[in-house]
Amino acid sequence: MKVLVIGGDGYCGWATALYLSSKGYEVGILDSMVRRHWDMEIQVETLTPIAPIQKRIQRWKDLTGKKIDLYIGDITNYDFLSKTLRQFEPESIVHFGEQRAAPFSMIDREHAVMTQVNNVVGTLNILYAMKEDFPDAHLVKLGTMGEYGTPNIDIEEGYITIEHNGRKDTLPYPKQPGSFYHLSKVHDSHNIHFACKIWGLRATDLNQGVVYGVALTGLLDDEIIKDELLINRLDYDGVFGTALNRFCIQAAIGHPLTVYGSGGQTRAFLDIRDTVRCMELAIANPAEAGKFRV
Ligand SMILES: NC(=O)c1ccc[n+]([C@@H]2O[C@H](COP(=O)([O-])OP(=O)(O)OC[C@H]3O[C@@H](n4cnc5c(N)ncnc54)[C@H](O)[C@@H]3O)[C@@H](O)[C@H]2O)c1
């Protein structure tokens, strides 16, 4: 099966591309490299230096004999996106290609607008390109648990049945995001839901928790895990670094943990190896046409 990994130079995307390629999927990576640019803009870098994408892909081929196609460009550019899809002809599209840091989206108006335009327009372009040329392809889109916020009742994935004034319905679970970034994901979810309804597309919205881990130990060969050119990124700065990564680095160097707020928050965390296996499960079992699967 042919799978296009959008955002394949990023953290979750790179791990997913390698895992799917190792499992025999024909993989293409589409990425604008904008994340490397954002790192430079705020003067941060991954603790594990990552090689240029062409070198990463070449090393993968040298070690495994498996080819990964590369398309460098921005999905907010519709012409580029639709040409890429026609060239690669994906059966599944895994979409990780977004600005994903809440603090980055909250820096100022420019960053809030940029985040929402990048994420909402990019996803909308994918939906239109699928409707035009690949109506049977399956979109696996990365959402986040942050779309739901922290309500004082259990979170139901996707839908909740509500009884109100004697009548009952199953409705999308209320969203209470906490940043302009999280709001962009909520807008995406609504757009995908609507596109499935009116155009009969297939889509799965995976709302994952915070992902941790670097190596796919146990899933890929040790030689691959140890290869410096294939290493994944590890963000630990105050903008793109996730709390768990920061706490681990701080503990390792004897720095006091920079706990936010009262320190009472509980969150779900996900091993990167579960992320990639979850992607494969979703791809191997596509959503029904016209159904928005969450
Ligand atoms: N990392 C986590 O803990 C986590 C948790 C929940 C959800 N997610 C979701 O998973 C996705 C990927 O997260 P990540 O941590 O891998 O992020 P990342 O920043 O490491 O990777 C995102 C990639 O997308 C690319 N990209 C961004 N905008 C693009 C555009 N317009 N066109 C083409 N490429 C573009 C970037 O260059 C980058 O390589 C995001 O949508 C994020 O919301 C991540």
Side-chain angles (χ1 to χ4, degrees):
M1 188 192 279
K2 296 186 90 169
V3 184
L4 185 66
V5 180
I6 299 181
D9 187 50
Y11 170 55
C12 298
W14 179 242
T16 301
L18 296 195
Y19 181 65
L20 293 177
S21 177
S22 78
K23 287 285 198 178
Y25 289 86
E26 279 180 66
V27 176
I29 284 180
L30 183 164
D31 202 300
S32 63
M33 307 296 130
V34 67
R35 175 56 207 284
R36 293 176 186 248
H37 167 77
W38 292 328
D39 282 357
M40 279 189 274
E41 178 194 323
I42 56 168
Q43 297 180 19
V44 299
E45 54 190 345
T46 153
L47 187 66
T48 44
I50 53 170
I53 185 70
Q54 294 86 349
K55 283 197 177 161
R56 299 173 110 180
I57 287 176
Q58 185 59 48
R59 177 56 64 98
W60 177 250
K61 190 168 178 211
D62 293 345
L63 290 182
T64 65
K66 293 179 190 295
K67 177 171 150 276
I68 294 179
D69 292 329
L70 176 64
Y71 303 92
I72 296 185
D74 191 324
I75 57 169
T76 62
N77 175 343
Y78 187 75
D79 282 348
F80 160 75
L81 174 66
S82 104
K83 269 186 207 137
T84 301
L85 294 197
R86 284 189 205 149
Q87 205 174 325
F88 183 72
E89 301 187 325
E91 291 160 276
S92 280
I93 299 171
V94 187
H95 178 24
F96 294 104
E98 301 210 315
Q99 193 300 96
R100 68 111 177 104
F104 195 75
S105 76
M106 300 302 285
I107 293 174
D108 56 15
R109 187 193 65 83
E110 275 81 9
H111 288 81
V113 171
M114 189 281 286
T115 298
Q116 293 217 349
V117 170
N118 187 66
N119 296 358
V120 177
V121 174
T123 300
L124 204 47
N125 277 348
I126 294 172
L127 294 170
Y128 264 94
M130 286 174 67
K131 174 204 167 231
E132 284 304 311
D133 294 313
F134 297 93
D136 294 327
H138 176 213
L139 173 66
V140 180
K141 162 71 171 39
L142 270 294
T144 157
M145 283 305 288
E147 290 188 32
Y148 297 116
T150 47
N152 198 29
I153 56 169
D154 290 350
I155 294 173
E156 301 298 331
E157 269 285 34
Y159 300 89
I160 185 167
T161 301
I162 297 176
E163 209 174 320
H164 181 61
N165 289 346
R167 292 196 296 161
K168 209 170 157 184
D169 205 349
T170 299
L171 302 167
Y173 193 93
K175 308 274 177 90
Q176 302 182 79
S179 75
F180 286 120
Y181 152 68
H182 288 102
L183 270 156
S184 76
K185 310 291 275 190
V186 174
H187 303 327
D188 281 343
S189 295
H190 288 152
N191 287 341
I192 300 169
H193 192 168
F194 185 66
C196 288
K197 201 158 71 181
I198 60 168
W199 297 329
L201 299 182
R202 299 170 194 277
T204 303
D205 198 6
L206 288 174
N207 289 315
Q208 54 174 18
V210 181
V211 185
Y212 67 90
V214 177
L216 299 182
T217 312
L219 299 184
L220 300 179
D221 291 347
D222 275 0
E223 185 192 15
I224 289 167
I225 306 269
K226 287 188 189 133
D227 194 282
E228 284 191 4
L229 286 180
L230 294 178
I231 201 158
N232 207 341
R233 56 164 58 244
L234 195 161
D235 301 309
Y236 66 106
D237 62 89
V239 175
F240 285 102
T242 49
L244 193 61
N245 282 2
R246 288 171 62 72
F247 292 160
C248 292
I249 308 284
Q250 287 164 347
I253 61 168
H255 188 286
L257 302 191
T258 47
V259 175
Y260 298 99
S262 63
Q265 199 183 133
T266 46
R267 306 295 294 181
F269 290 98
L270 187 66
D271 189 312
I272 185 84
R273 291 171 293 183
D274 289 329
T275 294
V276 300
R277 282 184 289 207
C278 177
M279 293 308 140
E280 200 210 350
L281 262 179
I283 291 165
N285 303 282
E288 230 179 278
K291 285 267 162 64
F292 175 58
R293 183 169 66 177
V294 185

